[in-house]
């Protein structure tokens, strides 16, 4: 089923390079020809907030960015990666607005997870032989839940709520007054503008099927399943990567594969979850969110011990990243580094301007560390060209398909002004580049060297062969690829720091060297 080119991919918002989709395509072909085999365009759909992630529908392109012809044009030249938002939908979507207006009489009432629906022990609408007895009992129990302030919050048992795995503190339920006179608590994992969907609902699944078929017709090669770990909710569980979640992912995979698309579930969690997910039937690729923190620890300390251990055990069917639109994951490296080492790494990130999430929300030190850090990767290495290029070289040599975030492509530093204006921590890493800024940054030495490194990764035959991790001390790292009579080998000294690539050149028949830093 795998159809992706074994080449570097770009991650970009539809308006971050050149102002719109046409601008993005122009930047890729004019400035970075040969650098990318694929492009992950972050949500280009109509949206109400969340930099595109509060999606109203997957069936349209926001006209601010362009149209479907622009999407198809990108797909002609690159492996197209698109987002499928499977966990939630915008509060401004037609479906939720109908629910708000009509309440339980809405045809979409069962698309969402209300407090009463989540707490319901008796499932199904048909209760043969019981007449009106069970519905009456259910109404009485719901009345008690709503008015009890000791054992319930928003009509949900407090002990059940405590089990919930959530990216934000407090109850996942947000109260909405509806047109039928009832105020209902509705599950919102991330914000009140992002309404969680009941992925077991037939109507919701038909909506996903329609979206997948439409994206396939536009040339999509891979679907990123955003926030899929939170998609399935079941009373008595922590509502994250439950057995039902795995079954849902497999259902999505089946539909996607029928339409010639592979899937990439997006899950930030313990590394053992990633390994399990990578082996799940139907799952094509998983993210290596572990890599950034381990790479930074090696760069900061001059010791690659923890990085080498991960390379030994990690699955190979991964999308490797150092930077994304979300920042640098922290939760992913639990038990791969001692807690003290994780804390030291996070403290170093703060020195380089990270932790904007804490500054923007006022969260305490502990809360802000456990999930992710907002910082560009170039800033995270102290804006050091050598350390940045060394890190990219390691990323490109580790098994998997590498992705480079558009800010990383231009070795961009934290955009403090952008963050100050919005107060949103992630905006630190979301600078929009005009054509003039692209051209200016394109000429920088670090960007030119990165460009050369990406073209090497895309063109050398050995990367389609066999991978070997060399036997070195923990201050050094040797990564090698062999195919038939050709090879390429990256040798890194983290203490120096320096990195060099030795490779066989089929054109000359000899051995050449590429100095990374």
């Amino acid at each position: 089923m795998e159809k992706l080119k074994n080449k570097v991919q770009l991650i970009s918002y539809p308006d971050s390079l050149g102002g719109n989709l046409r601008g993005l395509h122009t930047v890729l072909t004019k400035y970075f020809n040969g650098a990318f085999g694929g492009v992950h365009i972050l949500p280009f759909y109509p949206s109400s907030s969340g930099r595109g992630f509060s999606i109203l529908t997957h069936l349209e392109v926001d006209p601010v960015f362009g149209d479907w012809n622009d999407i198809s044009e990108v797909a002609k030249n690159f492996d197209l990666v698109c987002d499928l938002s499977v966990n939630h939908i915008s509060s401004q979507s037609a479906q939720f607005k109908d629910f708000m207006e009509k309440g339980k009489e809405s045809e979409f009432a069962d698309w969402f997870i209300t407090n009463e629906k989540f707490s319901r022990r008796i499932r199904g609408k048909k209760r043969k032989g019981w007449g009106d007895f069970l519905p009456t009992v259910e109404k009485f129990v719901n009345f008690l839940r709503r008015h009890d302030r000791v054992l319930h919050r928003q009509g949900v048992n407090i002990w059940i709520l405590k089990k919930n795995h959530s990216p934000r503190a407090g109850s996942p339920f947000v109260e909405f007054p509806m047109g039928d006179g009832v105020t209902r608590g509705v599950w919102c994992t991330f914000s009140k503008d992002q309404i969680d969907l009941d992925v077991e609902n037939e109507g919701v699944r038909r909506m996903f099927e329609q979206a997948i078929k439409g994206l396939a017709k536009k040339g999509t090669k891979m679907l990123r399943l955003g926030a899929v770990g939170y998609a399935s909710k079941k009373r008595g569980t922590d509502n994250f990567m439950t057995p039902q979640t795995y079954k849902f992912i497999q259902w999505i995979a089946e539909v996607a594969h029928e339409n010639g698309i592979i899937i990439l579930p997006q899950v930030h969690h313990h590394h053992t979850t990633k390994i399990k997910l990578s082996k799940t039937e139907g799952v094509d690729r998983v993210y290596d969110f572990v890599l950034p923190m381990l790479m930074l620890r090696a760069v900061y300390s001059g010791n690659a011990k923890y990085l080498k251990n991960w390379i030994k055990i990690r699955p190979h069917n991964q999308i490797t990243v150092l930077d994304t639109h979300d920042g640098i994951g922290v939760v992913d490296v639990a038990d791969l580094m001692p807690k003290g080492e994780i804390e030291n790494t996070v403290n170093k990130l703060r020195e380089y301007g990270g932790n904007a999430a804490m500054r923007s929300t006022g969260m305490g030190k502990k809360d802000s560390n456990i999930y992710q850090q907002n910082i560009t990767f170039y800033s995270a290495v102290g804006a050091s060209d050598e350390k940045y290029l060394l890190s990219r070289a390691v990323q490109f040599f580790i098994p998997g398909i590498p992705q480079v975030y558009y800010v990383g492509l231009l070795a961009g530093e934290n955009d403090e002004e952008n963050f100050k204006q919005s107060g949103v921590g992630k905006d630190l890493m979301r600078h929009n580049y005009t054509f003039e800024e692209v051209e200016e940054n394109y000429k920088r030495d670090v960007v030119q060297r990165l460009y050369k490194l990406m073209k090497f990764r895309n063109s050398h035959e050995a990367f389609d062969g066999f991978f070997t991790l060399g036997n070195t001390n923990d201050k050094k790292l040797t990564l090698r690829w062999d195919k038939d009579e050709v090879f390429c080998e990256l040798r890194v000294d983290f203490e120096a720091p320096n990195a060099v690539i030795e490779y066989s050149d089929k054109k000359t028949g000899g051995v050449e060297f590429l100095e990374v830093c």
Side-chain angles (χ1 to χ4, degrees), residues 121-397:
R121 290 180 179 274
I122 305 169
R123 299 287 179 178
K125 295 182 179 180
K126 295 181 179 180
R127 303 177 177 91
K128 293 181 179 179
W130 289 89
D132 294 329
F133 176 69
L134 287 181
T136 301
V137 171
E138 188 174 306
K139 289 179 181 179
F140 177 69
V141 171
N142 286 335
F143 175 84
L144 294 178
R145 287 179 181 139
R146 285 196 301 270
H147 292 85
D148 173 39
R149 295 293 182 266
V150 179
L151 298 178
H152 293 80
R153 294 289 182 273
Q154 297 169 309
V156 183
N157 185 287
I158 58 174
W159 305 111
I160 295 295
L161 283 177
K162 282 184 177 181
K163 293 181 179 180
N164 187 50
H165 176 98
S166 176
R168 61 185 179 91
S171 170
F173 289 99
V174 175
E175 293 186 337
F176 290 89
M178 300 192 175
D180 60 357
V182 178
T183 295
R184 293 179 174 85
V186 183
W187 194 300
C188 302
T189 296
F190 297 101
S191 78
K192 66 180 181 180
D193 192 37
Q194 296 176 335
I195 314 298
D196 284 39
L197 293 159
D198 183 350
V199 298
E200 301 301 324
N201 178 273
E202 291 183 5
V204 171
R205 292 203 173 194
R206 283 195 298 271
M207 179 182 67
F208 291 149
E209 288 178 331
Q210 187 180 15
I212 292 171
K213 290 177 181 178
L215 289 168
K217 291 179 181 178
K218 303 303 179 182
T220 303
K221 292 290 183 66
M222 181 164 69
L223 281 178
R224 173 184 179 271
L225 308 183
V228 70
Y230 300 96
S232 181
K233 285 84 174 174
K234 185 177 181 181
R235 178 186 170 94
T237 72
D238 67 358
N239 305 300
F240 187 82
M241 292 306 291
T242 63
Q244 291 76 23
T245 309
Y246 283 93
K247 290 179 181 178
F248 171 66
I249 291 172
Q250 289 180 306
W251 176 81
I252 285 282
E254 183 178 344
V255 177
H257 291 170
E258 288 174 355
N259 288 275
I261 299 176
I262 66 174
I263 66 163
L264 171 65
Q266 184 241 348
V267 177
H268 279 284
H269 204 236
H270 197 271
H271 68 278
T272 54
T273 301
K274 314 286 181 55
I275 293 173
K276 178 181 177 182
L277 187 59
S278 72
K279 298 177 181 178
T280 299
E281 184 178 355
V283 172
D284 303 288
R285 293 273 173 175
V286 294
Y287 276 110
D288 189 351
F289 289 133
V290 169
L291 185 59
M293 282 285 285
L294 296 183
M295 187 77 74
L296 289 171
R297 189 68 231 143
V299 169
Y300 293 160
S301 66
N303 190 309
K305 173 183 177 181
Y306 305 116
L307 175 60
K308 288 173 69 174
N309 288 341
W310 172 237
I311 293 173
K312 291 176 183 177
I313 65 172
R314 66 186 291 280
H316 285 191
N317 60 329
Q318 298 209 70
I319 297 293
T320 67
V321 294
L322 293 181
D323 45 4
T324 71
H325 62 286
D326 280 332
I328 293 173
V330 178
V331 65
D332 308 88
V333 294
D335 298 326
L336 288 173
M337 287 200 296
K339 291 182 179 179
E341 293 282 3
I342 295 174
E343 189 65 32
N344 288 339
T345 306
V346 170
N347 288 338
K348 194 71 173 177
L349 287 169
R350 288 185 185 146
E351 290 181 26
Y352 291 136
N355 212 27
M358 187 181 79
R359 288 188 275 141
S360 63
T361 63
M363 293 195 310
K365 175 181 175 182
K366 180 180 178 182
D367 290 334
S368 65
N369 289 345
I370 60 173
Y371 195 65
Q372 60 194 18
Q373 290 283 303
N374 301 143
I375 187 171
T376 75
F377 199 85
Y378 188 66
S379 289
V381 294
S384 163
D385 291 358
E386 290 71 25
K387 292 177 180 178
Y388 184 69
L389 292 167
L390 179 154
S391 300
R392 287 296 182 191
V394 174
Q395 179 197 4
F396 296 164
F397 266 75

